[in-house]
Structures are given as C-alpha cells and as structure tokens.
C-alpha cells in the first residue's frame, strides 16, 4: 500500500479498535456496577458507546473519514466510483481489513483491561427475523445519515449526529443496533454483555449488508448526487487521488 493509504488504514484500525473497546469495556463495567438491572446496564453501555463514537470521529475523521464500518466504506466506494470521489477499490479492501482486525483487537484489549482472558467465545444467541430486520433498519439509517450530512454540507455535526443516532438505536431496535459488520465480528470474541455467539454473526452481517443496499436506494431517491460528496464521509478527508499516491 502507499504511505497515504497505510496512514489512513492505520487510523481505521485504531479507531475501530477503540470503538469496540468502548462497546465491550462499558458492557463489562455496566454488568459489574449494576449486576441486577439489565435496563440500566444497557443505558450505561449505550451512553458510553455514543460518547466514544463521537470523540473517535473527531479524532480520526480528518485522517481517514472515520468510517469504522465496512458498510459505510463499501457505499462510499460504490457511490463515488463514477465521480472519482471516495474510496478506490484498493482503498476499500484496505479499510475493511483494518476495520475487521481492529474490531477483534478492541475486544481483546477490553478483556485484558478488565482482567479477563483475551478471548472468550460468547454464548449469547442473537438470531431471528425480528433481530435481522432491526439490523437492516439500524444500518440503513446510519448510512443514510452520514451520506445525507456529507451531501448537504453538514459534516461538522457528524460526531454528534452519528453518536446520537447509535445511542438512540440501542433502544429503538430489538438488536441493540450493531449496524456494523466489523463490530459484529469483534463482539464474537467476547463472552460478556456485548457478546454475540459466532453462529449468529452471519445473519447479522447479511442483514447489515441489506441495510446498506436499502440506504443506497434511499440515497438515489432523496440525494441523487450523494456520490459527489463521497470524500466528505464521515467528515472531509483526503481525496481519492491523494489516497492512491
């Protein structure tokens, strides 16, 4: 990879790792602090995740765009391919690899910080049509939000808006809004509050990819020139051409 793309991929790796660390770590802390109240545990987990996500977008957005999500990156490549904006195909591959490996590293880091074994295989089954539908809705809404912000020139509010969306989606979706294939895979390495059984991962990832397609269709109807702003997803970052050098 070029030096520029390596720099951006390293930001995606670190940002995704810290996001999963926040998700898993706050889940562990919540179960220890509020062991008898699942609702309070979810609230603590949601608030910590939303705040961490906003902060991480501010931290890494100017470097890589702070995608932290293979679906966001894939849509960025798809919409920007004709106008010469957004990710190249090579950039997409680098981003996805960085995001997935970063997510696994983040789950391991959270476990180590709380004195747990680095990897514990979870037994929390998350399967069923209602949960898959929730993941379609959560992912479509997230992708639509970030591209709508970019197309309308409101990327300055992306950290707050994306954090708020994910924090609220913890509650209005039955799946607690994973909305991210990389995060889903990372959470399959921890048998804690945020864990997901490995057997449940394919269904969640498939639903998230469907959500991405739904978002593409919605953007075509409501923001037909969203691809022109692909370089500004989630926040402005280097252009397609500079990323390929």
């Amino acid at each position: 990879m070029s030096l520029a793309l390596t720099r951006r991929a390293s930001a995606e790796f670190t940002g995704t790792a810290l996001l999963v660390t926040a998700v898993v770590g706050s889940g562990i802390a919540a179960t220890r602090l509020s062991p008898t109240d699942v609702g309070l545990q979810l609230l603590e987990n949601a608030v910590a995740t939303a705040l961490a996500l906003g902060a991480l977008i501010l931290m890494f957005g100017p470097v890589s765009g702070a995608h932290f999500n293979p679906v966001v990156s894939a849509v960025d490549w798809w919409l920007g391919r004709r106008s010469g904006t957004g990710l190249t195909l090579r950039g997409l591959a680098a981003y996805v690899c960085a995001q997935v490996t970063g997510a696994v590293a983040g789950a391991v880091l959270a476990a180590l910080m709380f004195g747990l074994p680095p990897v514990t295989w979870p037994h929390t089954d998350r399967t069923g049509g209602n949960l898959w539908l929730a993941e379609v809705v959560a992912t479509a809404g997230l992708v639509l939000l970030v591209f709508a912000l970019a197309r309308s020139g409101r990327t300055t509010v992306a950290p707050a808006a994306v954090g708020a969306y994910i924090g609220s989606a913890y509650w209005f979706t039955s799946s607690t809004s994973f909305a991210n294939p990389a995060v889903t895979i990372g959470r399959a390495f921890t048998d804690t509050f945020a864990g997901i059984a490995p057997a449940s991962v394919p269904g969640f990832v498939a639903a998230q990819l469907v959500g991405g397609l739904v978002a593409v269709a919605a953007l075509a109807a409501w923001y037909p020139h969203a691809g022109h702003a692909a370089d500004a997803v989630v926040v402005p970052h280097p252009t397609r051409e500079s990323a390929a050098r």
Side-chain angles (χ1 to χ4, degrees):
M1 292 190 296
S2 67
L3 181 60
L5 183 53
T6 300
R7 175 173 169 266
R8 297 172 72 190
S10 69
E12 286 295 302
F13 173 89
T14 307
T16 309
L18 291 175
L19 173 59
V20 174
T21 300
V23 173
V24 175
S26 63
I28 297 170
T31 56
R32 292 182 179 181
L33 294 170
S34 310
T36 62
D37 192 333
V38 177
L40 184 55
Q41 292 170 9
L42 183 61
L43 177 62
E44 292 162 348
N45 191 210
V47 170
T49 300
L51 293 176
L53 180 55
L56 291 169
I57 291 172
L58 287 171
M59 188 184 304
F60 294 106
V63 181
S64 68
H67 292 188
F68 311 149
N69 188 328
V71 176
V72 172
S73 297
V75 174
D76 188 59
W77 164 74
W78 178 259
L79 294 181
R81 72 195 191 287
R82 292 182 178 176
S83 57
T85 57
L87 290 174
T88 63
L89 190 58
R90 182 178 64 166
L92 173 61
Y95 268 42
V96 172
C97 289
Q99 291 156 355
V100 172
T101 55
V104 175
V108 171
L109 176 60
L112 292 175
M113 287 197 300
F114 282 89
L116 300 175
V119 174
T120 51
W121 301 115
H123 299 87
T124 304
D125 291 318
R126 301 177 190 263
T127 186
N130 63 314
L131 298 182
W132 298 331
L133 175 60
E135 282 301 294
V136 172
V137 172
T139 308
L142 173 63
V143 174
L144 182 58
L145 171 63
V146 297
F147 280 87
L149 291 174
R151 184 66 185 95
S152 58
R154 294 176 293 163
T155 55
T156 54
V157 302
V162 174
Y165 177 83
I166 291 298
S168 63
Y170 260 73
W171 291 88
F172 73 72
T173 64
S174 58
S175 64
T176 65
S177 183
F178 284 46
N180 185 328
V183 169
T184 302
I185 293 170
R187 290 170 68 165
F189 286 77
T190 176
D191 190 21
T192 60
F193 181 79
I196 177 173
S200 300
V201 170
F204 263 53
V205 171
Q208 291 154 1
L209 294 176
V210 171
L213 294 175
V214 171
V216 169
L219 288 165
W222 299 329
Y223 294 91
H225 301 294
H228 295 166
D231 279 334
V233 174
V234 176
V235 296
H237 54 286
T239 63
R240 181 188 184 103
E241 289 75 13
S242 65
R245 288 173 187 164

